[in-house]
Amino acid sequence: MSEVENVIIIGSGPAGYTAALYTARANLHPLVLEGFAWGGLLQQTTDVENYPGFPDGVMGPEMMQKFRDQAERFGARLLSDDATRVQLASEPGGVHSVWVGDTEHRARTVILAMGAEHKKLCIPGETELGGRGVSYCATCDAAFFRDSQTLVVGGGDSAMEEAIFLSKFAAKVTLVHRRKEFRASKIMLERAREKPNVEFLTPYTVREFVAGENGALGRATLTNVETGEERDVPVSGAFVAIGHEPQSALVRGQVDLDENGYVLTEDPSTRTNRPGVFAAGDVVDHTYRQAVTAAGTGCQAALDAEWYLRDTPEVPTPEGMPEGDLAEAQWAPPRAPERAPSTSA
């Protein structure tokens, strides 16, 4: 059993690494259980052109490596393994336990940053063509498909949002849904129908994504769910918008979740219903789901954890914490490492 940590961060990605950076600079020496697949969804992304500070764009894995390196530079300790179980305290000042396999790690605060995963169609070609025409985020990737034939799969508000945004770039957007009726709100459906280059194709499902001669997506094979008829649709971009799955199973039954499994926080903070437990990124956010918003909530969670450690009477204030306003203290130069005393005469 380890000593009691100041902070354990479960997860990585923009939220987890930003929380690690801020808590590390506050001299809290966070332990980050970043998972085997560290870096989150951006590890599966190619060009990122909408993150501030990268005017020429950056590859998703490269950006996550930079986030990771920056957190580690200031003293975050990274464990590339998955948390397997938690036992969260219910009283202020209580110690939380997080297990990695049989190893227990204890902490006074825990930041949940496990993220969310795109729901997949689980059809042939989807995985192989991921990043080569198959995408899950039009906001991220629509600009790569200017004047192209594209396809959106889904029937809810998210699918309508994807189609509307994509219509600004693509020559044509075919929206495929397995039912003739849509789950989307009336206003979103009407907005999508108003776009002259958006075509609705129902009731069809996508059976397969097929590569073209260049190895990227070339066409989608669709099946009519009523007649069984198949048809091929030439497309260079396909956007799957059938929802997300927050990776919150680890804390189910201990932290309050909404009906879709997203962690509930006390707006406008990142506090959960458990004292000393905070949540950030896509495990909370089912609205924006952008790297920059995830990083922002990672910062908030770090500051909330710092304030909890400083201001909770039942918690001994960690040594070396910045004095004064913690948000302002984040901009202060890092403290120079202490030098060993000289042994010379």
Side-chain angles (χ1 to χ4, degrees), residues 101-139:
D102 295 330
T103 303
E104 179 184 2
H105 300 273
R106 299 180 297 157
R108 301 199 180 277
T109 64
V110 173
I111 295 175
L112 307 175
M114 295 88 73
E117 291 288 336
H118 300 289
K119 289 184 179 178
K120 304 292 192 345
L121 296 171
C122 299
I123 60 174
E126 182 178 15
T127 300
E128 295 83 354
L129 293 169
R132 292 190 294 162
V134 176
S135 175
Y136 301 86
C137 178
T139 304

PDB file of all heavy atoms in Angstrom, residues 101-139:
ATOM      1  N   GLY A 101      -4.954  -3.260 -10.627  1.00  0.00           N
ATOM      2  CA  GLY A 101      -4.761  -4.675 -10.325  1.00  0.00           C
ATOM      3  C   GLY A 101      -4.888  -4.901  -8.830  1.00  0.00           C
ATOM      4  O   GLY A 101      -5.872  -4.512  -8.200  1.00  0.00           O
ATOM      5  N   ASP A 102      -3.869  -5.488  -8.226  1.00  0.00           N
ATOM      6  CA  ASP A 102      -3.876  -5.754  -6.787  1.00  0.00           C
ATOM      7  C   ASP A 102      -3.210  -4.648  -5.981  1.00  0.00           C
ATOM      8  O   ASP A 102      -3.144  -4.742  -4.748  1.00  0.00           O
ATOM      9  CB  ASP A 102      -3.156  -7.085  -6.502  1.00  0.00           C
ATOM     10  CG  ASP A 102      -3.888  -8.279  -7.091  1.00  0.00           C
ATOM     11  OD1 ASP A 102      -5.126  -8.211  -7.184  1.00  0.00           O
ATOM     12  OD2 ASP A 102      -3.213  -9.256  -7.471  1.00  0.00           O
ATOM     13  N   THR A 103      -2.706  -3.626  -6.653  1.00  0.00           N
ATOM     14  CA  THR A 103      -1.992  -2.554  -5.966  1.00  0.00           C
ATOM     15  C   THR A 103      -2.938  -1.415  -5.625  1.00  0.00           C
ATOM     16  O   THR A 103      -3.607  -0.856  -6.502  1.00  0.00           O
ATOM     17  CB  THR A 103      -0.844  -2.013  -6.835  1.00  0.00           C
ATOM     18  OG1 THR A 103       0.040  -3.087  -7.175  1.00  0.00           O
ATOM     19  CG2 THR A 103      -0.073  -0.935  -6.100  1.00  0.00           C
ATOM     20  N   GLU A 104      -2.997  -1.075  -4.338  1.00  0.00           N
ATOM     21  CA  GLU A 104      -3.871   0.006  -3.883  1.00  0.00           C
ATOM     22  C   GLU A 104      -3.089   1.313  -3.803  1.00  0.00           C
ATOM     23  O   GLU A 104      -1.985   1.364  -3.254  1.00  0.00           O
ATOM     24  CB  GLU A 104      -4.456  -0.321  -2.509  1.00  0.00           C
ATOM     25  CG  GLU A 104      -5.369   0.770  -1.962  1.00  0.00           C
ATOM     26  CD  GLU A 104      -5.869   0.478  -0.557  1.00  0.00           C
ATOM     27  OE1 GLU A 104      -5.471  -0.569   0.003  1.00  0.00           O
ATOM     28  OE2 GLU A 104      -6.636   1.302  -0.017  1.00  0.00           O
ATOM     29  N   HIS A 105      -3.664   2.362  -4.350  1.00  0.00           N
ATOM     30  CA  HIS A 105      -3.120   3.720  -4.234  1.00  0.00           C
ATOM     31  C   HIS A 105      -4.155   4.553  -3.492  1.00  0.00           C
ATOM     32  O   HIS A 105      -5.352   4.493  -3.800  1.00  0.00           O
ATOM     33  CB  HIS A 105      -2.854   4.329  -5.613  1.00  0.00           C
ATOM     34  CG  HIS A 105      -1.879   3.556  -6.442  1.00  0.00           C
ATOM     35  ND1 HIS A 105      -0.518   3.738  -6.378  1.00  0.00           N
ATOM     36  CD2 HIS A 105      -2.083   2.568  -7.347  1.00  0.00           C
ATOM     37  CE1 HIS A 105       0.088   2.919  -7.216  1.00  0.00           C
ATOM     38  NE2 HIS A 105      -0.838   2.194  -7.817  1.00  0.00           N
ATOM     39  N   ARG A 106      -3.706   5.350  -2.529  1.00  0.00           N
ATOM     40  CA  ARG A 106      -4.618   6.151  -1.724  1.00  0.00           C
ATOM     41  C   ARG A 106      -4.343   7.636  -1.956  1.00  0.00           C
ATOM     42  O   ARG A 106      -3.206   8.043  -2.197  1.00  0.00           O
ATOM     43  CB  ARG A 106      -4.468   5.808  -0.245  1.00  0.00           C
ATOM     44  CG  ARG A 106      -4.790   4.345   0.055  1.00  0.00           C
ATOM     45  CD  ARG A 106      -4.631   4.056   1.542  1.00  0.00           C
ATOM     46  NE  ARG A 106      -3.246   4.247   1.982  1.00  0.00           N
ATOM     47  CZ  ARG A 106      -2.881   4.498   3.241  1.00  0.00           C
ATOM     48  NH1 ARG A 106      -3.811   4.617   4.180  1.00  0.00           N
ATOM     49  NH2 ARG A 106      -1.617   4.640   3.555  1.00  0.00           N
ATOM     50  N   ALA A 107      -5.408   8.434  -1.858  1.00  0.00           N
ATOM     51  CA  ALA A 107      -5.249   9.862  -2.118  1.00  0.00           C
ATOM     52  C   ALA A 107      -6.325  10.659  -1.396  1.00  0.00           C
ATOM     53  O   ALA A 107      -7.422  10.157  -1.128  1.00  0.00           O
ATOM     54  CB  ALA A 107      -5.327  10.146  -3.616  1.00  0.00           C
ATOM     55  N   ARG A 108      -5.991  11.918  -1.118  1.00  0.00           N
ATOM     56  CA  ARG A 108      -6.961  12.821  -0.492  1.00  0.00           C
ATOM     57  C   ARG A 108      -7.912  13.420  -1.524  1.00  0.00           C
ATOM     58  O   ARG A 108      -9.020  13.805  -1.189  1.00  0.00           O
ATOM     59  CB  ARG A 108      -6.238  13.905   0.289  1.00  0.00           C
ATOM     60  CG  ARG A 108      -5.346  13.338   1.388  1.00  0.00           C
ATOM     61  CD  ARG A 108      -4.986  14.352   2.433  1.00  0.00           C
ATOM     62  NE  ARG A 108      -4.122  13.738   3.452  1.00  0.00           N
ATOM     63  CZ  ARG A 108      -4.573  13.037   4.485  1.00  0.00           C
ATOM     64  NH1 ARG A 108      -5.881  12.859   4.625  1.00  0.00           N
ATOM     65  NH2 ARG A 108      -3.743  12.526   5.370  1.00  0.00           N
ATOM     66  N   THR A 109      -7.456  13.530  -2.783  1.00  0.00           N
ATOM     67  CA  THR A 109      -8.343  13.982  -3.851  1.00  0.00           C
ATOM     68  C   THR A 109      -8.163  13.081  -5.069  1.00  0.00           C
ATOM     69  O   THR A 109      -7.080  12.529  -5.297  1.00  0.00           O
ATOM     70  CB  THR A 109      -8.069  15.445  -4.269  1.00  0.00           C
ATOM     71  OG1 THR A 109      -6.755  15.548  -4.820  1.00  0.00           O
ATOM     72  CG2 THR A 109      -8.210  16.399  -3.096  1.00  0.00           C
ATOM     73  N   VAL A 110      -9.234  12.965  -5.835  1.00  0.00           N
ATOM     74  CA  VAL A 110      -9.215  12.185  -7.071  1.00  0.00           C
ATOM     75  C   VAL A 110      -9.860  13.022  -8.168  1.00  0.00           C
ATOM     76  O   VAL A 110     -10.915  13.631  -7.955  1.00  0.00           O
ATOM     77  CB  VAL A 110      -9.988  10.849  -6.920  1.00  0.00           C
ATOM     78  CG1 VAL A 110     -10.107  10.138  -8.266  1.00  0.00           C
ATOM     79  CG2 VAL A 110      -9.293   9.941  -5.906  1.00  0.00           C
ATOM     80  N   ILE A 111      -9.209  13.075  -9.320  1.00  0.00           N
ATOM     81  CA  ILE A 111      -9.765  13.749 -10.486  1.00  0.00           C
ATOM     82  C   ILE A 111     -10.101  12.690 -11.531  1.00  0.00           C
ATOM     83  O   ILE A 111      -9.232  11.930 -11.959  1.00  0.00           O
ATOM     84  CB  ILE A 111      -8.793  14.797 -11.060  1.00  0.00           C
ATOM     85  CG1 ILE A 111      -8.583  15.927 -10.046  1.00  0.00           C
ATOM     86  CG2 ILE A 111      -9.319  15.355 -12.387  1.00  0.00           C
ATOM     87  CD1 ILE A 111      -7.544  16.957 -10.475  1.00  0.00           C
ATOM     88  N   LEU A 112     -11.365  12.636 -11.903  1.00  0.00           N
ATOM     89  CA  LEU A 112     -11.841  11.668 -12.897  1.00  0.00           C
ATOM     90  C   LEU A 112     -11.737  12.297 -14.287  1.00  0.00           C
ATOM     91  O   LEU A 112     -12.358  13.328 -14.555  1.00  0.00           O
ATOM     92  CB  LEU A 112     -13.289  11.280 -12.613  1.00  0.00           C
ATOM     93  CG  LEU A 112     -13.585  10.792 -11.190  1.00  0.00           C
ATOM     94  CD1 LEU A 112     -15.084  10.561 -11.018  1.00  0.00           C
ATOM     95  CD2 LEU A 112     -12.803   9.525 -10.875  1.00  0.00           C
ATOM     96  N   ALA A 113     -10.956  11.682 -15.159  1.00  0.00           N
ATOM     97  CA  ALA A 113     -10.772  12.208 -16.521  1.00  0.00           C
ATOM     98  C   ALA A 113     -10.704  11.034 -17.499  1.00  0.00           C
ATOM     99  O   ALA A 113      -9.846  10.986 -18.379  1.00  0.00           O
ATOM    100  CB  ALA A 113      -9.497  13.052 -16.598  1.00  0.00           C
ATOM    101  N   MET A 114     -11.656  10.111 -17.364  1.00  0.00           N
ATOM    102  CA  MET A 114     -11.611   8.877 -18.158  1.00  0.00           C
ATOM    103  C   MET A 114     -12.112   9.062 -19.580  1.00  0.00           C
ATOM    104  O   MET A 114     -11.950   8.185 -20.424  1.00  0.00           O
ATOM    105  CB  MET A 114     -12.426   7.775 -17.481  1.00  0.00           C
ATOM    106  CG  MET A 114     -11.860   7.335 -16.138  1.00  0.00           C
ATOM    107  SD  MET A 114     -12.499   8.331 -14.777  1.00  0.00           S
ATOM    108  CE  MET A 114     -14.181   7.757 -14.636  1.00  0.00           C
ATOM    109  N   GLY A 115     -12.764  10.193 -19.858  1.00  0.00           N
ATOM    110  CA  GLY A 115     -13.178  10.488 -21.218  1.00  0.00           C
ATOM    111  C   GLY A 115     -14.402   9.711 -21.665  1.00  0.00           C
ATOM    112  O   GLY A 115     -15.144   9.129 -20.874  1.00  0.00           O
ATOM    113  N   ALA A 116     -14.618   9.720 -22.960  1.00  0.00           N
ATOM    114  CA  ALA A 116     -15.731   9.008 -23.581  1.00  0.00           C
ATOM    115  C   ALA A 116     -15.246   8.406 -24.885  1.00  0.00           C
ATOM    116  O   ALA A 116     -14.265   8.865 -25.473  1.00  0.00           O
ATOM    117  CB  ALA A 116     -16.913   9.953 -23.833  1.00  0.00           C
ATOM    118  N   GLU A 117     -15.929   7.376 -25.315  1.00  0.00           N
ATOM    119  CA  GLU A 117     -15.596   6.728 -26.580  1.00  0.00           C
ATOM    120  C   GLU A 117     -16.746   6.914 -27.561  1.00  0.00           C
ATOM    121  O   GLU A 117     -17.915   6.901 -27.174  1.00  0.00           O
ATOM    122  CB  GLU A 117     -15.346   5.229 -26.369  1.00  0.00           C
ATOM    123  CG  GLU A 117     -14.080   4.908 -25.597  1.00  0.00           C
ATOM    124  CD  GLU A 117     -12.821   5.154 -26.399  1.00  0.00           C
ATOM    125  OE1 GLU A 117     -12.899   5.139 -27.645  1.00  0.00           O
ATOM    126  OE2 GLU A 117     -11.765   5.350 -25.778  1.00  0.00           O
ATOM    127  N   HIS A 118     -16.401   7.109 -28.833  1.00  0.00           N
ATOM    128  CA  HIS A 118     -17.434   7.160 -29.861  1.00  0.00           C
ATOM    129  C   HIS A 118     -18.093   5.786 -29.974  1.00  0.00           C
ATOM    130  O   HIS A 118     -17.422   4.758 -29.973  1.00  0.00           O
ATOM    131  CB  HIS A 118     -16.826   7.510 -31.225  1.00  0.00           C
ATOM    132  CG  HIS A 118     -16.132   8.827 -31.257  1.00  0.00           C
ATOM    133  ND1 HIS A 118     -16.808  10.026 -31.201  1.00  0.00           N
ATOM    134  CD2 HIS A 118     -14.822   9.144 -31.362  1.00  0.00           C
ATOM    135  CE1 HIS A 118     -15.941  11.022 -31.264  1.00  0.00           C
ATOM    136  NE2 HIS A 118     -14.734  10.514 -31.359  1.00  0.00           N
ATOM    137  N   LYS A 119     -19.417   5.778 -30.087  1.00  0.00           N
ATOM    138  CA  LYS A 119     -20.089   4.528 -30.399  1.00  0.00           C
ATOM    139  C   LYS A 119     -19.759   4.148 -31.836  1.00  0.00           C
ATOM    140  O   LYS A 119     -19.756   4.994 -32.730  1.00  0.00           O
ATOM    141  CB  LYS A 119     -21.600   4.672 -30.222  1.00  0.00           C
ATOM    142  CG  LYS A 119     -22.037   4.779 -28.768  1.00  0.00           C
ATOM    143  CD  LYS A 119     -23.552   4.831 -28.660  1.00  0.00           C
ATOM    144  CE  LYS A 119     -23.984   4.902 -27.204  1.00  0.00           C
ATOM    145  NZ  LYS A 119     -25.469   5.000 -27.069  1.00  0.00           N
ATOM    146  N   LYS A 120     -19.460   2.899 -32.038  1.00  0.00           N
ATOM    147  CA  LYS A 120     -19.042   2.415 -33.346  1.00  0.00           C
ATOM    148  C   LYS A 120     -20.169   1.650 -34.034  1.00  0.00           C
ATOM    149  O   LYS A 120     -21.045   1.079 -33.390  1.00  0.00           O
ATOM    150  CB  LYS A 120     -17.822   1.501 -33.203  1.00  0.00           C
ATOM    151  CG  LYS A 120     -16.620   2.134 -32.485  1.00  0.00           C
ATOM    152  CD  LYS A 120     -16.011   3.226 -33.299  1.00  0.00           C
ATOM    153  CE  LYS A 120     -14.660   3.714 -32.813  1.00  0.00           C
ATOM    154  NZ  LYS A 120     -14.196   3.388 -31.515  1.00  0.00           N
ATOM    155  N   LEU A 121     -20.100   1.609 -35.356  1.00  0.00           N
ATOM    156  CA  LEU A 121     -21.026   0.790 -36.129  1.00  0.00           C
ATOM    157  C   LEU A 121     -20.643  -0.679 -36.082  1.00  0.00           C
ATOM    158  O   LEU A 121     -21.480  -1.566 -36.273  1.00  0.00           O
ATOM    159  CB  LEU A 121     -21.049   1.260 -37.585  1.00  0.00           C
ATOM    160  CG  LEU A 121     -21.575   2.678 -37.834  1.00  0.00           C
ATOM    161  CD1 LEU A 121     -21.330   3.083 -39.281  1.00  0.00           C
ATOM    162  CD2 LEU A 121     -23.049   2.775 -37.495  1.00  0.00           C
ATOM    163  N   CYS A 122     -19.335  -0.926 -35.869  1.00  0.00           N
ATOM    164  CA  CYS A 122     -18.812  -2.298 -35.820  1.00  0.00           C
ATOM    165  C   CYS A 122     -19.096  -3.042 -37.122  1.00  0.00           C
ATOM    166  O   CYS A 122     -19.664  -4.145 -37.125  1.00  0.00           O
ATOM    167  CB  CYS A 122     -19.373  -3.054 -34.613  1.00  0.00           C
ATOM    168  SG  CYS A 122     -18.955  -2.308 -33.019  1.00  0.00           S
ATOM    169  N   ILE A 123     -18.702  -2.417 -38.218  1.00  0.00           N
ATOM    170  CA  ILE A 123     -18.888  -3.021 -39.547  1.00  0.00           C
ATOM    171  C   ILE A 123     -17.531  -3.132 -40.227  1.00  0.00           C
ATOM    172  O   ILE A 123     -16.569  -2.461 -39.834  1.00  0.00           O
ATOM    173  CB  ILE A 123     -19.850  -2.181 -40.412  1.00  0.00           C
ATOM    174  CG1 ILE A 123     -19.291  -0.764 -40.610  1.00  0.00           C
ATOM    175  CG2 ILE A 123     -21.237  -2.141 -39.792  1.00  0.00           C
ATOM    176  CD1 ILE A 123     -20.098   0.081 -41.573  1.00  0.00           C
ATOM    177  N   PRO A 124     -17.415  -3.972 -41.258  1.00  0.00           N
ATOM    178  CA  PRO A 124     -16.144  -4.103 -41.971  1.00  0.00           C
ATOM    179  C   PRO A 124     -15.685  -2.748 -42.535  1.00  0.00           C
ATOM    180  O   PRO A 124     -16.483  -1.970 -43.069  1.00  0.00           O
ATOM    181  CB  PRO A 124     -16.476  -5.086 -43.102  1.00  0.00           C
ATOM    182  CG  PRO A 124     -17.629  -5.887 -42.594  1.00  0.00           C
ATOM    183  CD  PRO A 124     -18.437  -4.940 -41.759  1.00  0.00           C
ATOM    184  N   GLY A 125     -14.404  -2.488 -42.405  1.00  0.00           N
ATOM    185  CA  GLY A 125     -13.799  -1.285 -42.959  1.00  0.00           C
ATOM    186  C   GLY A 125     -13.794  -0.099 -42.024  1.00  0.00           C
ATOM    187  O   GLY A 125     -13.032   0.862 -42.243  1.00  0.00           O
ATOM    188  N   GLU A 126     -14.595  -0.128 -40.956  1.00  0.00           N
ATOM    189  CA  GLU A 126     -14.687   1.037 -40.076  1.00  0.00           C
ATOM    190  C   GLU A 126     -13.367   1.297 -39.357  1.00  0.00           C
ATOM    191  O   GLU A 126     -12.861   2.428 -39.350  1.00  0.00           O
ATOM    192  CB  GLU A 126     -15.805   0.837 -39.056  1.00  0.00           C
ATOM    193  CG  GLU A 126     -16.007   2.023 -38.128  1.00  0.00           C
ATOM    194  CD  GLU A 126     -17.156   1.817 -37.160  1.00  0.00           C
ATOM    195  OE1 GLU A 126     -17.621   0.658 -37.011  1.00  0.00           O
ATOM    196  OE2 GLU A 126     -17.599   2.814 -36.556  1.00  0.00           O
ATOM    197  N   THR A 127     -12.825   0.262 -38.764  1.00  0.00           N
ATOM    198  CA  THR A 127     -11.564   0.428 -38.038  1.00  0.00           C
ATOM    199  C   THR A 127     -10.414   0.685 -38.995  1.00  0.00           C
ATOM    200  O   THR A 127      -9.579   1.583 -38.781  1.00  0.00           O
ATOM    201  CB  THR A 127     -11.267  -0.818 -37.191  1.00  0.00           C
ATOM    202  OG1 THR A 127     -12.331  -1.005 -36.247  1.00  0.00           O
ATOM    203  CG2 THR A 127      -9.946  -0.676 -36.455  1.00  0.00           C
ATOM    204  N   GLU A 128     -10.352  -0.079 -40.080  1.00  0.00           N
ATOM    205  CA  GLU A 128      -9.236   0.022 -41.025  1.00  0.00           C
ATOM    206  C   GLU A 128      -9.170   1.403 -41.686  1.00  0.00           C
ATOM    207  O   GLU A 128      -8.079   1.895 -42.011  1.00  0.00           O
ATOM    208  CB  GLU A 128      -9.371  -1.047 -42.116  1.00  0.00           C
ATOM    209  CG  GLU A 128      -9.253  -2.480 -41.606  1.00  0.00           C
ATOM    210  CD  GLU A 128     -10.554  -3.019 -41.033  1.00  0.00           C
ATOM    211  OE1 GLU A 128     -11.537  -2.261 -40.909  1.00  0.00           O
ATOM    212  OE2 GLU A 128     -10.587  -4.220 -40.688  1.00  0.00           O
ATOM    213  N   LEU A 129     -10.325   2.047 -41.881  1.00  0.00           N
ATOM    214  CA  LEU A 129     -10.364   3.338 -42.572  1.00  0.00           C
ATOM    215  C   LEU A 129     -10.533   4.511 -41.609  1.00  0.00           C
ATOM    216  O   LEU A 129     -10.742   5.645 -42.049  1.00  0.00           O
ATOM    217  CB  LEU A 129     -11.486   3.336 -43.608  1.00  0.00           C
ATOM    218  CG  LEU A 129     -11.254   2.377 -44.778  1.00  0.00           C
ATOM    219  CD1 LEU A 129     -12.509   2.214 -45.616  1.00  0.00           C
ATOM    220  CD2 LEU A 129     -10.098   2.871 -45.647  1.00  0.00           C
ATOM    221  N   GLY A 130     -10.410   4.243 -40.320  1.00  0.00           N
ATOM    222  CA  GLY A 130     -10.426   5.327 -39.345  1.00  0.00           C
ATOM    223  C   GLY A 130      -9.253   6.264 -39.587  1.00  0.00           C
ATOM    224  O   GLY A 130      -8.109   5.831 -39.681  1.00  0.00           O
ATOM    225  N   GLY A 131      -9.536   7.564 -39.714  1.00  0.00           N
ATOM    226  CA  GLY A 131      -8.492   8.537 -40.026  1.00  0.00           C
ATOM    227  C   GLY A 131      -8.153   8.598 -41.501  1.00  0.00           C
ATOM    228  O   GLY A 131      -7.329   9.420 -41.914  1.00  0.00           O
ATOM    229  N   ARG A 132      -8.767   7.742 -42.299  1.00  0.00           N
ATOM    230  CA  ARG A 132      -8.559   7.746 -43.758  1.00  0.00           C
ATOM    231  C   ARG A 132      -9.905   7.851 -44.479  1.00  0.00           C
ATOM    232  O   ARG A 132     -10.126   7.231 -45.499  1.00  0.00           O
ATOM    233  CB  ARG A 132      -7.807   6.491 -44.195  1.00  0.00           C
ATOM    234  CG  ARG A 132      -6.359   6.437 -43.703  1.00  0.00           C
ATOM    235  CD  ARG A 132      -5.601   5.304 -44.364  1.00  0.00           C
ATOM    236  NE  ARG A 132      -6.146   4.005 -43.962  1.00  0.00           N
ATOM    237  CZ  ARG A 132      -5.919   2.879 -44.629  1.00  0.00           C
ATOM    238  NH1 ARG A 132      -5.227   2.884 -45.757  1.00  0.00           N
ATOM    239  NH2 ARG A 132      -6.420   1.736 -44.183  1.00  0.00           N
ATOM    240  N   GLY A 133     -10.759   8.656 -43.899  1.00  0.00           N
ATOM    241  CA  GLY A 133     -12.078   8.881 -44.479  1.00  0.00           C
ATOM    242  C   GLY A 133     -13.204   8.651 -43.503  1.00  0.00           C
ATOM    243  O   GLY A 133     -14.243   9.301 -43.584  1.00  0.00           O
ATOM    244  N   VAL A 134     -13.025   7.730 -42.553  1.00  0.00           N
ATOM    245  CA  VAL A 134     -14.045   7.491 -41.535  1.00  0.00           C
ATOM    246  C   VAL A 134     -13.705   8.321 -40.309  1.00  0.00           C
ATOM    247  O   VAL A 134     -12.585   8.248 -39.785  1.00  0.00           O
ATOM    248  CB  VAL A 134     -14.130   5.998 -41.160  1.00  0.00           C
ATOM    249  CG1 VAL A 134     -15.128   5.791 -40.016  1.00  0.00           C
ATOM    250  CG2 VAL A 134     -14.540   5.164 -42.368  1.00  0.00           C
ATOM    251  N   SER A 135     -14.657   9.142 -39.883  1.00  0.00           N
ATOM    252  CA  SER A 135     -14.432  10.067 -38.775  1.00  0.00           C
ATOM    253  C   SER A 135     -15.632  10.049 -37.849  1.00  0.00           C
ATOM    254  O   SER A 135     -16.701   9.531 -38.187  1.00  0.00           O
ATOM    255  CB  SER A 135     -14.187  11.478 -39.317  1.00  0.00           C
ATOM    256  OG  SER A 135     -14.088  12.421 -38.259  1.00  0.00           O
ATOM    257  N   TYR A 136     -15.441  10.651 -36.668  1.00  0.00           N
ATOM    258  CA  TYR A 136     -16.515  10.734 -35.683  1.00  0.00           C
ATOM    259  C   TYR A 136     -16.730  12.167 -35.221  1.00  0.00           C
ATOM    260  O   TYR A 136     -17.427  12.395 -34.243  1.00  0.00           O
ATOM    261  CB  TYR A 136     -16.193   9.829 -34.479  1.00  0.00           C
ATOM    262  CG  TYR A 136     -16.007   8.378 -34.881  1.00  0.00           C
ATOM    263  CD1 TYR A 136     -14.765   7.917 -35.311  1.00  0.00           C
ATOM    264  CD2 TYR A 136     -17.073   7.494 -34.864  1.00  0.00           C
ATOM    265  CE1 TYR A 136     -14.597   6.604 -35.713  1.00  0.00           C
ATOM    266  CE2 TYR A 136     -16.911   6.174 -35.248  1.00  0.00           C
ATOM    267  CZ  TYR A 136     -15.669   5.740 -35.680  1.00  0.00           C
ATOM    268  OH  TYR A 136     -15.507   4.437 -36.081  1.00  0.00           O
ATOM    269  N   CYS A 137     -16.138  13.124 -35.940  1.00  0.00           N
ATOM    270  CA  CYS A 137     -16.232  14.525 -35.510  1.00  0.00           C
ATOM    271  C   CYS A 137     -16.121  15.447 -36.708  1.00  0.00           C
ATOM    272  O   CYS A 137     -15.013  15.698 -37.210  1.00  0.00           O
ATOM    273  CB  CYS A 137     -15.136  14.845 -34.496  1.00  0.00           C
ATOM    274  SG  CYS A 137     -15.123  16.565 -33.947  1.00  0.00           S
ATOM    275  N   ALA A 138     -17.258  15.982 -37.162  1.00  0.00           N
ATOM    276  CA  ALA A 138     -17.229  16.906 -38.296  1.00  0.00           C
ATOM    277  C   ALA A 138     -16.547  18.216 -37.927  1.00  0.00           C
ATOM    278  O   ALA A 138     -15.839  18.809 -38.742  1.00  0.00           O
ATOM    279  CB  ALA A 138     -18.658  17.171 -38.788  1.00  0.00           C
ATOM    280  N   THR A 139     -16.745  18.677 -36.698  1.00  0.00           N
ATOM    281  CA  THR A 139     -16.080  19.907 -36.262  1.00  0.00           C
ATOM    282  C   THR A 139     -14.570  19.778 -36.405  1.00  0.00           C
ATOM    283  O   THR A 139     -13.881  20.736 -36.741  1.00  0.00           O
ATOM    284  CB  THR A 139     -16.442  20.227 -34.803  1.00  0.00           C
ATOM    285  OG1 THR A 139     -17.864  20.295 -34.679  1.00  0.00           O
ATOM    286  CG2 THR A 139     -15.837  21.539 -34.364  1.00  0.00           C
TER     287      THR A 139
END
